[in-house]
Amino acid sequence: MHAKDSNPPDGGYGWVVVVSAFMVMGLTAAVLKTFGLFFVEIQQHFDELASTTSWITSVTIAIFHLGAPVASSLCVRYTHRAVVISGGLLAFSGMALGFLGLNMVWMYATTGFLQGLGISFSWTPAISIVSHYFSKKRALANAIASAGECAFAFTFGPFFQWLISQYGWKGALLIIGGIQLNICVCGVLMRPLGSSCLLEASHSETETPPSNGASRIDKEDKSPITHKTFNWMLVRRPEFVLYAIFGILAAMSFFVPPLFLVPLSYSLGIDESWTASLLSILAIVDFAGRLLCGWYANLHVTKTVHLLTMTITLISTSLMLLPLANNYLSLAIFTGFYGFFFGTTVAVHITVLADVVGMPDFDSALGLFMLIRSTGGFVGPPLAGLIVDMAGDYRAGFYMAGATLVLSAGFLVTLDQLQQRKERGSQTNIKPEKSTLTYPSLHLLQLQ
């Protein structure tokens, strides 16, 4: 009875949590994704180089990742709800103080540090609690929740452009900060998942040991939260290390295209109104890619790590082709390809992490993964900005992002080979034991 109560509901109130996470993704990741609209405005206001201005986004991304282990630890100690509410308040503070626009260092500290910490404290527990509420439908639930980033980015593109034109970039930051206060409302709706039931389930497990390996595996997969301490020892597991290296290289690339897409369009002589529509196109196809890939992954036809490797390869190809665009139509087409394949990647990469480490260690793994990946997010935009300054062409940043993604795919292939080798080894070890195990010995084993 207790074990049953501790299983993820795979529906019910879980869908309310998914909708709340959907909103949080939009009010955090979508804001970060469309911040490129402020890039040229801030650069011109302070009369700085592209590499200097890009440090604002770089600091935001780095703190977003660095704060993840802290957010995960706070979720374990307190609740996901409390951490999300704190994140909403921090995100608002970052934008509201950025409104003052004193100097570039001030922008690093406000729209960079505070905004990044707010995004981390909101995004991390939101995506984590969705994975706890779902087991069989985890891939689909994660895809729907992450799609909030695209749905909001679709409207945020032209909306932010309008805000900047009407109130200036400083006034736009203040208004966006007020909108981000809705993160706190979403956090209130993220009800903790039956902690009392989990405590009872843990007592029942200690009183009644599992009779076979299958039930033990089943409990490990279905129990929402089994660890009450942060597991730093995951860094000793080769599978996790390989996936973390993939995350570093991917983070170096993922934040570059949205940052330089707007400046690239300006360099091609495209009007500002049409430029904003590129971000909307990016959001639409990203949204479609996430839902389609989440639905397909939920069918369990293809191994998730294989699916992720394929989508990463397709993203790198589209990034290599995007700089070939020389007008709005071609740029919109290549942007669409990139956005769709990016969406498919985001839909499954958290699910792959859960498959690599298992749900008992998922909260710790998510925090550590984001922490390690932060190095890529911190280095990527400034490196791309430096390459752009040296080449004198925004296209160079896209080539750098594509090449880095190709390298990251190699670590996914290595991870898959390691997993397959371990699976084959476990199968060969189990078969002899089954053949030599007699019925009396099996009966004695069950009595023990």
Side-chain angles (χ1 to χ4, degrees):
M1 175 67 75
H2 296 315
K4 181 178 179 180
D5 291 339
S6 66
N7 290 342
D10 259 318
Y13 193 80
W15 293 116
V16 176
V17 174
V18 169
V19 173
S20 300
F22 179 92
M23 298 288 292
V24 171
M25 297 301 110
L27 294 171
T28 55
V31 171
L32 179 59
K33 196 172 186 178
T34 52
F35 197 77
L37 289 168
F38 291 87
F39 184 88
V40 175
E41 299 289 336
I42 296 175
Q43 182 182 9
Q44 293 177 350
H45 178 81
F46 292 107
D47 192 22
E48 296 285 355
L49 295 173
S51 56
T52 304
T53 309
S54 65
W55 274 102
I56 298 175
T57 303
S58 180
V59 171
T60 307
I61 295 169
I63 298 302
F64 167 37
H65 290 80
L66 289 170
V70 180
S72 296
S73 300
L74 291 174
C75 288
V76 172
R77 184 173 179 82
Y78 301 103
T79 62
H80 295 77
R81 171 187 285 169
V83 181
V84 171
I85 294 173
S86 301
L89 295 174
L90 286 169
F92 163 74
S93 301
M95 287 298 193
L97 292 174
F99 160 76
L100 300 176
L102 301 180
N103 50 50
M104 192 60 74
V105 175
W106 179 262
M107 300 306 296
Y108 295 156
T110 55
T111 57
F113 181 84
L114 284 179
Q115 178 68 196
L117 195 61
I119 292 175
S120 182
F121 276 35
S122 305
W123 187 94
T124 306
I127 203 68
S128 173
I129 196 170
V130 168
S131 295
H132 285 305
Y133 261 91
F134 290 86
S135 177
K136 295 179 182 178
K137 300 177 183 177
R138 185 176 296 142
L140 180 61
N142 278 326
I144 294 174
S146 68
E149 173 185 339
C150 316
F152 277 73
F154 172 70
T155 56
F156 278 176
F159 178 56
F160 286 4
Q161 190 75 59
W162 179 80
L163 286 177
I164 293 172
S165 64
Q166 293 294 317
Y167 304 101
W169 66 269
K170 292 183 179 180
L173 287 181
L174 182 61
I175 295 172
I176 294 168
I179 295 173
Q180 285 184 308
L181 280 174
N182 287 286
I183 294 173
C184 301
V185 179
C186 298
V188 172
L189 295 174
M190 292 180 178
R191 188 171 66 193
L193 183 59
S195 57
S196 60
C197 294
L198 294 175
L199 183 60
E200 293 173 1
S202 64
H203 286 314
S204 64
E205 287 180 18
T206 55
E207 293 171 1
T208 309
S211 59
N212 52 58
S215 63
R216 186 164 56 248
I217 294 172
D218 182 66
K219 287 183 179 180
E220 180 180 312
D221 180 65
K222 291 185 176 180
S223 180
I225 306 172
T226 56
H227 285 273
K228 293 301 179 184
T229 57
F230 197 88
N231 185 9
W232 293 95
M233 292 300 101
L234 286 169
V235 294
R236 295 185 177 182
R237 293 174 58 174
E239 298 94 335
F240 177 78
V241 172
L242 287 171
Y243 197 69
I245 296 174
F246 152 76
I248 293 173
L249 296 172
M252 287 181 64
S253 307
F254 283 165
F255 297 100
V256 171
L259 184 63
F260 292 113
L261 182 61
V262 172
L264 175 63
S265 67
Y266 288 161
S267 69
L268 294 176
I270 299 174
D271 187 72
E272 290 184 4
S273 59
W274 288 104
T275 297
S277 69
L278 287 174
L279 297 178
S280 297
I281 292 172
L282 187 65
I284 292 173
V285 294
D286 190 350
F287 182 83
R290 296 187 193 215
L291 294 184
L292 182 61
C293 190
W295 168 79
Y296 179 77
N298 201 58
L299 298 177
H300 303 290
V301 175
T302 306
K303 194 175 179 181
T304 52
V305 68
H306 294 167
L307 189 59
L308 181 60
T309 305
M310 181 177 65
T311 60
I312 286 293
T313 304
L314 291 171
I315 289 180
S316 61
T317 303
S318 63
L319 283 177
M320 293 293 189
L321 294 174
L322 194 145
L324 299 178
N326 55 12
N327 54 45
Y328 174 79
L329 180 60
S330 57
L331 186 61
I333 292 173
F334 288 129
T335 298
F337 279 117
Y338 161 74
F340 180 82
F341 296 129
F342 177 82
T344 58
T345 299
V346 175
V348 295
H349 83 287
I350 294 297
T351 304
V352 173
L353 177 62
D355 294 340
V356 170
V357 302
M359 280 311 298
D361 287 318
F362 177 71
D363 277 335
S364 300
L366 181 60
L368 279 175
F369 177 73
M370 296 295 290
L371 173 64
I372 296 172
R373 198 176 74 167
S374 66
T375 55
F378 189 72
V379 172
L383 177 61
L386 179 62
I387 294 174
V388 167
D389 289 335
M390 292 174 62
D393 192 343
Y394 287 108
R395 294 181 177 88
F398 292 91
Y399 287 128
M400 184 277 284
T404 307
L405 280 177
V406 171
L407 182 61
S408 72
F411 286 92
L412 289 178
V413 173
T414 306
L415 169 63
D416 180 52
Q417 294 295 322
L418 178 61
Q419 287 180 320
Q420 289 185 15
R421 190 180 303 114
K422 287 194 172 184
E423 288 175 2
R424 288 193 297 266
S426 62
Q427 288 174 359
T428 55
N429 291 334
I430 292 174
K431 286 181 180 180
E433 292 177 5
K434 286 185 177 180
S435 61
T436 57
L437 192 62
T438 60
Y439 286 107
S441 60
L442 177 62
H443 177 68
L444 291 173
L445 181 61
Q446 290 177 337
L447 288 177
Q448 294 175 354

